[in-house]
Amino acid sequence: MGMSALYGEADRAESIATLHAALDAGVTLLDTGDFYGMGHNELLINEALRTAPAAARERALTSVKFGALRTVEGGFTGYDGRPEAVKNFLAYSLQRLGRDHIDIYRIARVDPDVPIEETVGAIAEAVEAGHVRHIGLSEVGADTLRRATAVAPIADLQIEYSLISRGVEEEILPAARELGIGITAYGVLSRGLISGHFTRDRALAPGDFRGMSPRFQEGNLDRNLDLVEALREVAEGKGVSVAQTAIAWVLSRGEDIVPLVGARRRDRLAEALGAIDITLSAADLAAIEEAIPLGAAAGERYPAAQMAHLDSEH
């Protein structure tokens, strides 16, 4: 997402180079949304895959979110999960990606006016037609997860999960495991907040989502960065970076959890991939939990208007 929208200007050449570096390193999952830059991100992935070695291109899996309604100015006006809309969004995504199928397809947020059964049923029809390989969901609660699985198999649930966003642990993660559904964890570095690179005096670019995010607001930011400094002590004790520690913690939650890395540059990608080689002992995990206790974050993870769209929070 950050290569196309919501985090300020991005360098196109560096974005392509970062995607190529990810594929070269063995990364196989490319996650996007058709509304990331109103199609820009899908076209970017298309270019990266077309110019990548054939073997890497064939291994790549595309995960696409759809349904968000946008304005010319970049605003969000709701979500559309009607079956006819699903087919429309899918047709455009396949064209932009330059592929004959999407590996995992999911609505970004539940449309409150359309039963999840109808939305999932439309994706299931696309699976039968060969246009989609697997059905995913995003930011849904345990009840919605169960209703969806009664219609068709659900491969994974994409949901925010990090050291400072652990609400999934209460009901949603147990339900997913009961149903045999994997978790794709996004926001593992909380949009850079717990990466170890975000500073108190950092000036955000116009239009940067973090300028509206409660956790980055005055007062909350200072309290959250105090947590990061406590985590830094743990990381330095292991000789690794703060970001690597935060990603390794998500990896430690279970083999059914896949962290998404939002790197926009090759150096950040390389740092993130280093988390794969980190083993956290019971003592390490205890120290991390002490540095960032459950529920310690200041501020909600989205502004109030966006929180209202999260089925996972109701």
Side-chain angles (χ1 to χ4, degrees), residues 126-142:
V127 172
E128 291 177 8
H131 304 313
V132 171
R133 292 285 188 266
H134 303 282
I135 305 171
L137 291 171
S138 176
E139 286 288 356
V140 305

Side-chain angles (χ1 to χ4, degrees), residues 48-313:
L49 290 175
R50 280 191 294 105
T51 53
R57 182 168 60 251
E58 290 167 7
R59 287 194 303 268
L61 304 175
T62 52
S63 168
V64 179
K65 290 179 292 298
F66 69 89
L69 303 176
R70 305 293 305 273
T71 66
V72 173
E73 294 75 23
F76 288 83
T77 60
Y79 296 89
D80 192 345
R82 295 172 301 140
E84 57 266 45
V86 174
K87 295 172 184 177
N88 178 77
F89 288 127
L90 175 59
Y92 278 87
S93 284
L94 289 170
Q95 179 68 25
R96 285 188 293 257
L97 287 166
R99 296 170 79 83
D100 63 4
H101 73 276
I102 290 171
D103 294 284
I104 310 169
Y105 202 51
R106 70 188 87 235
I107 191 165
R109 300 287 185 268
V110 174
D111 181 343
D113 298 322
V114 178
I116 192 64
E117 290 86 350
E118 293 185 16
T119 303
V120 168
I123 305 175
E125 290 181 8
V127 172
E128 291 177 8
H131 304 313
V132 171
R133 292 285 188 266
H134 303 282
I135 305 171
L137 291 171
S138 176
E139 286 288 356
V140 305
D143 179 61
T144 302
L145 205 57
R146 290 190 174 93
R147 287 169 51 199
T149 57
V151 176
I154 305 298
D156 79 308
L157 167 65
Q158 186 174 123
I159 195 163
E160 186 166 359
Y161 191 22
S162 74
L163 274 166
I164 63 171
S165 295
R166 296 177 59 178
V168 65
E169 294 175 346
E170 295 177 19
E171 296 181 0
I172 297 172
L173 181 56
R177 286 177 166 160
E178 171 195 327
L179 297 166
I181 297 170
I183 297 291
T184 304
Y186 77 86
V188 293
L189 297 180
S190 300
R191 300 161 185 83
L193 181 59
I194 60 172
S195 67
H197 301 298
F198 203 93
T199 58
R200 298 174 196 272
D201 59 351
R202 179 171 173 176
L204 296 173
D208 191 316
F209 163 80
R210 292 169 290 193
M212 299 181 295
S213 173
R215 290 181 175 171
F216 288 84
Q217 300 304 307
E218 188 173 353
N220 288 348
L221 179 62
D222 286 339
R223 288 161 60 191
N224 290 329
L225 289 181
D226 285 343
L227 297 174
V228 176
E229 289 311 305
L231 184 62
R232 193 184 303 278
E233 292 187 21
V234 178
E236 290 179 347
K238 285 188 67 67
V240 298
S241 75
V242 174
Q244 289 170 336
T245 305
I247 297 170
W249 181 86
V250 176
L251 279 166
S252 76
R253 300 296 87 190
E255 292 185 358
D256 55 345
I257 297 174
V258 177
L260 290 179
V261 174
R264 296 195 292 172
R265 302 183 342 222
R266 283 168 287 182
D267 58 337
R268 294 285 194 253
L269 171 69
E271 178 186 20
L273 292 178
I276 296 170
D277 300 320
I278 296 173
T279 299
L280 297 176
S281 66
D284 293 330
L285 291 170
I288 291 169
E289 297 263 354
E290 184 177 352
I292 303 185
L294 179 67
E300 297 283 2
R301 55 196 183 101
Y302 284 103
Q306 294 184 37
M307 288 292 288
H309 285 297
L310 299 178
D311 182 78
S312 55
E313 294 288 341

